[in-house]
Amino acid sequence: MHYEYWKFPPLEHETRPAVPTDAAAYYLNRKSQTLRAWACLENGPIRPIRINGRLAWPVAAIRALLNGGAQ
């Protein structure tokens, strides 16, 4: 199996309310730097939550985006 499978559970099994940038990038099939640019420019389809200088991406927003729209 792929390394990512062990590092990131399938999105339907994700129980955290928000995930770090590397996990969000994996689920959205984008590079981490793309998500960081979305956060910096505030122009992406979803917005992160900033926690002590770190980005956390809402799982509900990721699911909504993958199902055809953002929250």
Side-chain angles (χ1 to χ4, degrees):
M1 293 207 168
H2 294 284
Y3 167 73
E4 288 83 9
Y5 180 81
W6 297 109
K7 188 172 180 181
F8 306 115
L11 188 57
E12 57 270 9
H13 295 149
E14 184 59 68
T15 58
R16 296 176 286 183
V19 293
T21 301
D22 61 341
Y26 172 76
Y27 293 131
L28 294 170
N29 197 29
R30 297 288 180 265
K31 292 189 179 212
S32 295
Q33 192 59 35
T34 300
L35 275 68
R36 289 187 194 97
W38 290 352
C40 182
L41 300 173
E42 296 185 355
N43 68 348
I46 59 176
R47 300 275 171 95
I49 302 163
R50 288 174 170 82
I51 304 171
N52 293 330
R54 295 185 181 258
L55 301 174
W57 300 83
V59 172
I62 295 170
R63 286 183 178 132
L65 182 61
L66 292 175
N67 288 324
Q71 288 183 336

Coordinates of all heavy atoms in Angstrom, one line a residue:
M1 N 0.8 -1.2 0.0 CA 0.0 0.0 0.0 C 0.9 1.2 0.0 O 2.0 1.2 0.4 CB -0.9 0.0 1.2 CG -1.9 -1.1 1.2 SD -3.3 -0.5 2.2 CE -4.4 -1.8 1.7
H2 N 0.3 2.3 -0.4 CA 1.0 3.6 -0.4 C 1.2 4.1 1.0 O 0.5 3.9 1.9 CB 0.2 4.6 -1.2 CG 0.1 4.3 -2.7 ND1 1.1 4.4 -3.6 CD2 -1.0 3.8 -3.4 CE1 0.7 4.0 -4.8 NE2 -0.6 3.6 -4.7
Y3 N 2.3 4.9 1.1 CA 2.7 5.5 2.4 C 1.6 6.4 2.9 O 1.3 6.5 4.0 CB 4.0 6.2 2.2 CG 4.3 7.2 3.4 CD1 4.7 6.6 4.6 CD2 4.2 8.5 3.3 CE1 5.0 7.5 5.7 CE2 4.5 9.4 4.3 CZ 4.9 8.8 5.5 OH 5.2 9.6 6.6
E4 N 1.0 7.2 2.0 CA 0.0 8.1 2.3 C -1.2 7.5 3.0 O -1.9 8.0 3.8 CB -0.5 9.0 1.1 CG 0.5 10.0 0.6 CD 1.5 9.3 -0.3 OE1 1.4 8.2 -0.7 OE2 2.5 10.0 -0.6
Y5 N -1.5 6.2 2.6 CA -2.7 5.5 3.2 C -2.5 5.3 4.7 O -3.4 5.5 5.4 CB -2.9 4.2 2.5 CG -4.0 3.4 3.1 CD1 -5.3 3.7 2.7 CD2 -3.8 2.4 4.0 CE1 -6.4 3.0 3.2 CE2 -4.9 1.7 4.6 CZ -6.2 2.0 4.1 OH -7.3 1.4 4.7
W6 N -1.2 5.1 5.1 CA -1.0 4.9 6.5 C -0.9 6.2 7.2 O -1.2 6.3 8.4 CB 0.3 4.1 6.7 CG 0.2 2.7 6.1 CD1 0.8 2.3 5.0 CD2 -0.6 1.6 6.6 NE1 0.5 1.0 4.7 CE2 -0.4 0.6 5.7 CE3 -1.4 1.5 7.6 CZ2 -1.0 -0.7 5.9 CZ3 -2.1 0.3 7.8 CH2 -1.9 -0.8 6.9
K7 N -0.4 7.2 6.5 CA -0.3 8.5 7.2 C -1.6 9.2 7.3 O -1.9 9.9 8.3 CB 0.7 9.4 6.4 CG 1.1 10.7 7.0 CD 2.2 11.4 6.3 CE 2.5 12.7 7.0 NZ 3.5 13.4 6.3
F8 N -2.4 9.1 6.3 CA -3.7 9.8 6.3 C -4.9 8.8 6.1 O -4.9 8.1 5.1 CB -3.8 10.8 5.1 CG -2.7 11.8 5.1 CD1 -1.8 11.8 4.1 CD2 -2.5 12.7 6.1 CE1 -0.7 12.7 4.0 CE2 -1.5 13.6 6.1 CZ -0.6 13.6 5.1
P9 N -5.7 8.7 7.1 CA -6.9 7.7 6.9 C -7.8 8.2 5.9 O -7.8 9.4 5.5 CB -7.5 7.8 8.3 CG -7.2 9.1 8.9 CD -5.8 9.4 8.4
P10 N -8.6 7.4 5.3 CA -9.6 7.9 4.3 C -10.4 9.0 4.9 O -10.7 9.0 6.1 CB -10.5 6.6 4.0 CG -9.6 5.5 4.4 CD -8.7 6.0 5.5
L11 N -10.8 10.0 4.1 CA -11.5 11.1 4.6 C -12.8 10.8 5.4 O -13.1 11.4 6.4 CB -11.8 12.1 3.5 CG -12.4 13.4 3.9 CD1 -11.5 14.2 4.8 CD2 -12.7 14.3 2.6
E12 N -13.5 9.7 4.9 CA -14.7 9.3 5.6 C -14.5 8.8 7.0 O -15.4 8.7 7.8 CB -15.5 8.3 4.8 CG -14.8 7.1 4.4 CD -14.1 7.2 3.0 OE1 -14.0 8.3 2.5 OE2 -13.6 6.1 2.6
H13 N -13.2 8.4 7.3 CA -12.9 7.9 8.6 C -12.2 9.0 9.5 O -11.9 8.7 10.7 CB -11.9 6.7 8.5 CG -12.6 5.5 7.9 ND1 -11.8 4.6 7.1 CD2 -13.8 5.1 7.8 CE1 -12.7 3.7 6.6 NE2 -13.9 4.0 7.1
E14 N -12.0 10.1 8.9 CA -11.4 11.2 9.7 C -12.3 11.7 10.8 O -13.5 12.1 10.5 CB -11.0 12.4 8.8 CG -10.2 13.5 9.4 CD -9.0 13.1 10.0 OE1 -8.0 12.7 9.3 OE2 -8.9 13.1 11.3
T15 N -11.9 11.7 12.0 CA -12.7 12.1 13.1 C -12.4 13.5 13.7 O -13.2 14.0 14.5 CB -12.7 11.1 14.3 OG1 -11.3 11.0 14.7 CG2 -13.2 9.7 13.8
R16 N -11.3 14.0 13.3 CA -10.9 15.3 13.8 C -11.7 16.4 13.1 O -12.1 16.3 11.9 CB -9.4 15.6 13.5 CG -8.5 14.7 14.2 CD -7.0 14.9 13.8 NE -6.8 14.4 12.4 CZ -5.6 14.5 11.8 NH1 -4.6 15.0 12.4 NH2 -5.5 14.0 10.6
P17 N -12.1 17.5 13.8 CA -12.8 18.6 13.2 C -12.0 19.3 12.2 O -12.6 19.9 11.2 CB -13.2 19.5 14.3 CG -12.3 19.2 15.4 CD -11.8 17.7 15.2
A18 N -10.7 19.4 12.3 CA -9.8 20.1 11.4 C -8.5 19.3 11.3 O -8.1 18.6 12.2 CB -9.6 21.5 11.8
V19 N -7.9 19.4 10.1 CA -6.6 18.7 9.9 C -5.5 19.7 9.5 O -5.8 20.8 9.0 CB -6.8 17.6 8.7 CG1 -7.7 16.5 9.2 CG2 -7.3 18.2 7.4
P20 N -4.3 19.3 9.7 CA -3.2 20.2 9.3 C -3.1 20.3 7.7 O -3.7 19.5 7.0 CB -1.9 19.5 9.9 CG -2.3 18.1 10.1 CD -3.8 18.1 10.3
T21 N -2.2 21.2 7.3 CA -2.1 21.5 5.9 C -1.7 20.3 5.0 O -2.3 20.1 4.0 CB -1.1 22.6 5.7 OG1 -1.6 23.8 6.4 CG2 -1.0 23.0 4.2
D22 N -0.8 19.5 5.5 CA -0.3 18.3 4.7 C -1.5 17.3 4.5 O -1.6 16.8 3.4 CB 0.9 17.6 5.3 CG 0.7 17.1 6.7 OD1 -0.3 17.5 7.4 OD2 1.5 16.2 7.1
A23 N -2.3 17.1 5.5 CA -3.4 16.2 5.3 C -4.5 16.8 4.4 O -5.0 16.1 3.5 CB -4.1 15.9 6.7
A24 N -4.8 18.1 4.6 CA -5.8 18.7 3.7 C -5.3 18.7 2.2 O -6.1 18.4 1.3 CB -6.0 20.1 4.1
A25 N -4.0 18.9 2.0 CA -3.5 18.9 0.7 C -3.6 17.5 0.1 O -4.0 17.3 -1.1 CB -2.0 19.3 0.7
Y26 N -3.4 16.5 0.9 CA -3.5 15.1 0.4 C -5.0 14.8 0.0 O -5.2 14.3 -1.1 CB -3.1 14.1 1.5 CG -3.4 12.7 1.2 CD1 -2.6 12.0 0.3 CD2 -4.5 12.0 1.8 CE1 -2.9 10.7 -0.1 CE2 -4.8 10.7 1.4 CZ -4.0 10.0 0.5 OH -4.3 8.7 0.2
Y27 N -5.9 15.2 0.9 CA -7.3 14.9 0.5 C -7.8 15.7 -0.7 O -8.7 15.2 -1.4 CB -8.2 15.3 1.8 CG -8.0 14.4 2.9 CD1 -7.8 14.9 4.2 CD2 -8.0 13.0 2.8 CE1 -7.6 14.1 5.3 CE2 -7.8 12.2 3.9 CZ -7.6 12.7 5.1 OH -7.4 11.9 6.2
L28 N -7.3 16.9 -0.9 CA -7.7 17.8 -2.0 C -6.9 17.5 -3.2 O -7.1 18.2 -4.3 CB -7.7 19.2 -1.6 CG -8.7 19.6 -0.5 CD1 -8.4 21.0 0.0 CD2 -10.1 19.5 -1.0
N29 N -5.9 16.7 -3.2 CA -5.0 16.4 -4.3 C -4.3 17.7 -4.8 O -4.3 17.9 -6.0 CB -5.7 15.7 -5.4 CG -4.8 15.0 -6.4 OD1 -3.7 14.6 -6.0 ND2 -5.2 14.9 -7.7
R30 N -3.8 18.4 -3.8 CA -3.1 19.7 -4.1 C -1.8 19.6 -3.3 O -1.6 18.9 -2.4 CB -3.9 20.9 -3.7 CG -5.2 21.1 -4.4 CD -4.9 21.5 -5.9 NE -6.1 21.8 -6.6 CZ -6.7 20.9 -7.4 NH1 -6.2 19.6 -7.5 NH2 -7.7 21.1 -8.1
K31 N -0.8 20.5 -3.7 CA 0.4 20.6 -2.9 C 0.1 21.5 -1.7 O -0.7 22.3 -1.7 CB 1.5 21.2 -3.8 CG 1.9 20.3 -4.9 CD 3.1 20.8 -5.6 CE 3.5 19.8 -6.7 NZ 4.9 19.7 -6.9
S32 N 0.9 21.2 -0.6 CA 0.7 21.9 0.6 C 0.9 23.4 0.4 O 0.2 24.3 1.0 CB 1.7 21.5 1.7 OG 1.5 20.1 2.0
Q33 N 1.8 23.8 -0.5 CA 2.1 25.2 -0.8 C 0.9 25.9 -1.4 O 0.7 27.0 -1.2 CB 3.4 25.3 -1.7 CG 3.9 26.7 -1.8 CD 4.2 27.3 -0.4 OE1 4.7 26.6 0.5 NE2 4.0 28.6 -0.2
T34 N 0.1 25.1 -2.2 CA -1.1 25.7 -2.8 C -2.1 26.1 -1.7 O -2.6 27.2 -1.7 CB -1.8 24.7 -3.7 OG1 -0.8 24.4 -4.8 CG2 -3.1 25.2 -4.3
L35 N -2.2 25.3 -0.7 CA -3.1 25.6 0.4 C -2.6 26.7 1.3 O -3.4 27.6 1.7 CB -3.4 24.4 1.3 CG -4.5 23.4 0.8 CD1 -4.2 22.8 -0.5 CD2 -4.9 22.5 1.9
R36 N -1.3 26.8 1.4 CA -0.7 27.9 2.2 C -0.9 29.2 1.4 O -1.2 30.3 2.0 CB 0.8 27.7 2.4 CG 1.1 26.6 3.4 CD 2.6 26.5 3.7 NE 2.8 25.3 4.4 CZ 3.3 24.2 3.8 NH1 3.5 24.2 2.6 NH2 3.5 23.1 4.6
A37 N -0.9 29.2 0.1 CA -1.2 30.4 -0.7 C -2.6 30.8 -0.6 O -2.9 32.0 -0.5 CB -0.8 30.1 -2.2
W38 N -3.5 29.8 -0.6 CA -5.0 30.1 -0.4 C -5.1 30.8 0.9 O -5.9 31.8 1.0 CB -5.8 28.8 -0.3 CG -6.0 28.1 -1.6 CD1 -5.6 28.5 -2.9 CD2 -6.5 26.8 -1.8 NE1 -5.9 27.6 -3.8 CE2 -6.5 26.5 -3.2 CE3 -7.1 25.9 -0.9 CZ2 -7.0 25.3 -3.7 CZ3 -7.6 24.7 -1.5 CH2 -7.5 24.4 -2.8
A39 N -4.4 30.4 2.0 CA -4.6 31.0 3.3 C -4.0 32.4 3.3 O -4.6 33.3 3.8 CB -3.9 30.1 4.3
C40 N -2.8 32.6 2.7 CA -2.2 33.9 2.7 C -3.0 34.9 1.9 O -3.2 36.0 2.3 CB -0.8 33.7 2.1 SG 0.2 35.2 2.1
L41 N -3.4 34.5 0.7 CA -4.1 35.4 -0.2 C -5.6 35.5 0.1 O -6.3 36.3 -0.5 CB -3.9 35.0 -1.7 CG -2.4 35.0 -2.1 CD1 -2.3 34.4 -3.5 CD2 -1.8 36.4 -2.0
E42 N -6.1 34.6 0.9 CA -7.5 34.4 1.2 C -8.4 34.4 0.0 O -9.4 35.0 -0.1 CB -8.0 35.6 2.1 CG -7.3 35.6 3.5 CD -7.8 36.6 4.4 OE1 -8.6 37.5 4.0 OE2 -7.3 36.6 5.6
N43 N -7.9 33.6 -1.0 CA -8.7 33.4 -2.3 C -9.0 32.0 -2.6 O -9.4 31.7 -3.7 CB -7.9 34.1 -3.4 CG -6.6 33.3 -3.7 OD1 -6.2 32.5 -3.0 ND2 -6.0 33.7 -4.8
G44 N -8.8 31.1 -1.7 CA -9.1 29.7 -2.0 C -10.5 29.3 -1.8 O -11.3 30.1 -1.3
P45 N -10.9 28.1 -2.2 CA -12.3 27.7 -2.1 C -12.7 27.4 -0.6 O -13.9 27.4 -0.3 CB -12.4 26.4 -2.9 CG -11.0 25.9 -3.0 CD -10.1 27.1 -2.9
I46 N -11.7 27.2 0.2 CA -12.0 27.0 1.7 C -11.0 27.8 2.5 O -9.9 28.1 2.0 CB -12.0 25.5 2.1 CG1 -10.6 24.9 1.9 CG2 -13.1 24.7 1.5 CD1 -10.5 23.4 2.4
R47 N -11.4 28.2 3.7 CA -10.5 29.0 4.5 C -10.0 28.2 5.7 O -10.9 27.5 6.3 CB -11.2 30.2 5.0 CG -11.7 31.2 4.0 CD -10.6 32.1 3.5 NE -11.0 32.9 2.3 CZ -11.6 34.1 2.4 NH1 -11.8 34.7 3.5 NH2 -11.9 34.7 1.3
P48 N -8.8 28.3 6.1 CA -8.3 27.6 7.3 C -8.6 28.3 8.6 O -9.0 29.5 8.5 CB -6.8 27.6 7.0 CG -6.5 28.8 6.3 CD -7.7 29.0 5.4
I49 N -8.5 27.6 9.6 CA -8.6 28.2 11.0 C -7.1 28.4 11.4 O -6.3 27.5 11.2 CB -9.3 27.2 11.9 CG1 -10.7 26.9 11.4 CG2 -9.3 27.8 13.3 CD1 -11.2 25.6 12.1
R50 N -6.8 29.5 11.9 CA -5.4 29.8 12.4 C -5.4 29.5 13.9 O -6.1 30.2 14.7 CB -5.0 31.2 12.0 CG -4.8 31.4 10.5 CD -4.5 32.8 10.2 NE -4.1 32.9 8.8 CZ -4.9 33.0 7.7 NH1 -6.2 32.8 7.9 NH2 -4.4 33.1 6.5
I51 N -4.5 28.6 14.3 CA -4.3 28.3 15.7 C -2.9 28.4 16.1 O -2.0 27.7 15.6 CB -4.8 26.8 15.9 CG1 -6.2 26.6 15.5 CG2 -4.6 26.4 17.4 CD1 -6.7 25.2 15.5
N52 N -2.6 29.5 16.9 CA -1.2 29.7 17.3 C -0.2 29.8 16.1 O 0.8 29.2 16.2 CB -0.7 28.7 18.3 CG -1.5 28.9 19.6 OD1 -2.0 29.9 20.0 ND2 -1.7 27.8 20.3
G53 N -0.6 30.4 15.1 CA 0.3 30.6 13.9 C 0.3 29.4 13.0 O 1.0 29.4 12.0
R54 N -0.5 28.4 13.2 CA -0.6 27.2 12.4 C -1.9 27.2 11.7 O -2.9 27.8 12.2 CB -0.4 25.9 13.1 CG 1.0 25.8 13.7 CD 1.3 24.5 14.4 NE 2.6 24.4 15.0 CZ 3.6 23.8 14.4 NH1 3.4 23.1 13.3 NH2 4.8 23.7 15.0
L55 N -2.0 26.5 10.6 CA -3.2 26.4 9.8 C -3.9 25.0 10.1 O -3.2 24.0 10.1 CB -3.0 26.5 8.3 CG -2.3 27.8 7.8 CD1 -2.0 27.7 6.4 CD2 -3.2 29.0 8.1
A56 N -5.2 25.1 10.3 CA -6.0 23.9 10.4 C -7.2 24.0 9.5 O -7.8 25.0 9.4 CB -6.5 23.7 11.9
W57 N -7.4 23.0 8.7 CA -8.4 23.0 7.6 C -9.6 22.2 8.1 O -9.5 21.0 8.4 CB -7.8 22.5 6.3 CG -6.6 23.3 5.9 CD1 -5.3 23.2 6.3 CD2 -6.6 24.4 5.0 NE1 -4.6 24.1 5.7 CE2 -5.3 24.9 4.9 CE3 -7.6 25.0 4.2 CZ2 -5.0 25.9 4.1 CZ3 -7.3 26.0 3.4 CH2 -6.0 26.5 3.3
P58 N -10.8 22.9 8.1 CA -12.0 22.2 8.6 C -12.4 21.0 7.7 O -12.5 21.1 6.5 CB -13.1 23.2 8.5 CG -12.3 24.5 8.5 CD -11.0 24.3 7.8
V59 N -12.5 19.8 8.3 CA -12.8 18.6 7.6 C -14.2 18.8 6.9 O -14.4 18.3 5.7 CB -12.8 17.4 8.5 CG1 -13.3 16.1 7.8 CG2 -11.4 17.1 9.0
A60 N -15.2 19.4 7.5 CA -16.5 19.6 6.9 C -16.4 20.4 5.6 O -17.0 20.1 4.6 CB -17.4 20.3 7.9
A61 N -15.5 21.4 5.6 CA -15.3 22.2 4.4 C -14.6 21.4 3.3 O -14.9 21.6 2.1 CB -14.5 23.5 4.7
I62 N -13.7 20.6 3.7 CA -13.0 19.7 2.7 C -14.0 18.7 2.1 O -14.1 18.6 0.8 CB -11.9 18.9 3.3 CG1 -10.7 19.9 3.8 CG2 -11.3 17.9 2.4 CD1 -9.7 19.2 4.6
R63 N -14.9 18.1 2.9 CA -15.9 17.2 2.4 C -16.9 18.0 1.5 O -17.2 17.5 0.4 CB -16.6 16.6 3.6 CG -15.9 15.5 4.3 CD -16.7 14.9 5.4 NE -15.9 13.9 6.0 CZ -15.8 13.7 7.3 NH1 -16.4 14.5 8.2 NH2 -15.0 12.7 7.8
A64 N -17.3 19.1 1.9 CA -18.2 19.9 1.1 C -17.6 20.3 -0.3 O -18.3 20.2 -1.3 CB -18.6 21.2 1.8
L65 N -16.3 20.7 -0.3 CA -15.7 21.0 -1.5 C -15.6 19.8 -2.4 O -15.8 19.9 -3.7 CB -14.3 21.6 -1.2 CG -13.5 22.0 -2.4 CD1 -14.2 23.1 -3.2 CD2 -12.1 22.5 -2.0
L66 N -15.2 18.7 -1.9 CA -15.1 17.4 -2.7 C -16.5 16.9 -3.2 O -16.5 16.2 -4.2 CB -14.4 16.3 -1.9 CG -12.9 16.6 -1.6 CD1 -12.4 15.5 -0.7 CD2 -12.1 16.7 -2.9
N67 N -17.5 17.4 -2.5 CA -18.9 17.0 -3.0 C -19.5 18.0 -3.9 O -20.7 18.0 -4.1 CB -19.8 16.7 -1.7 CG -19.4 15.4 -1.0 OD1 -19.0 14.5 -1.7 ND2 -19.5 15.4 0.3
G68 N -18.8 19.0 -4.3 CA -19.3 19.9 -5.3 C -19.5 21.3 -4.9 O -20.0 22.1 -5.7
G69 N -19.1 21.7 -3.7 CA -19.2 23.1 -3.3 C -18.5 23.4 -2.0 O -18.3 22.4 -1.3
A70 N -18.2 24.6 -1.8 CA -17.6 25.0 -0.5 C -18.7 25.6 0.4 O -19.7 25.9 0.0 CB -16.5 26.0 -0.7
Q71 N -18.3 25.6 1.7 CA -19.3 26.2 2.7 C -19.2 27.6 2.6 O -18.2 28.2 2.4 CB -18.9 25.7 4.1 CG -19.2 24.3 4.4 CD -18.9 23.9 5.8 OE1 -18.1 24.5 6.5 NE2 -19.6 22.8 6.3

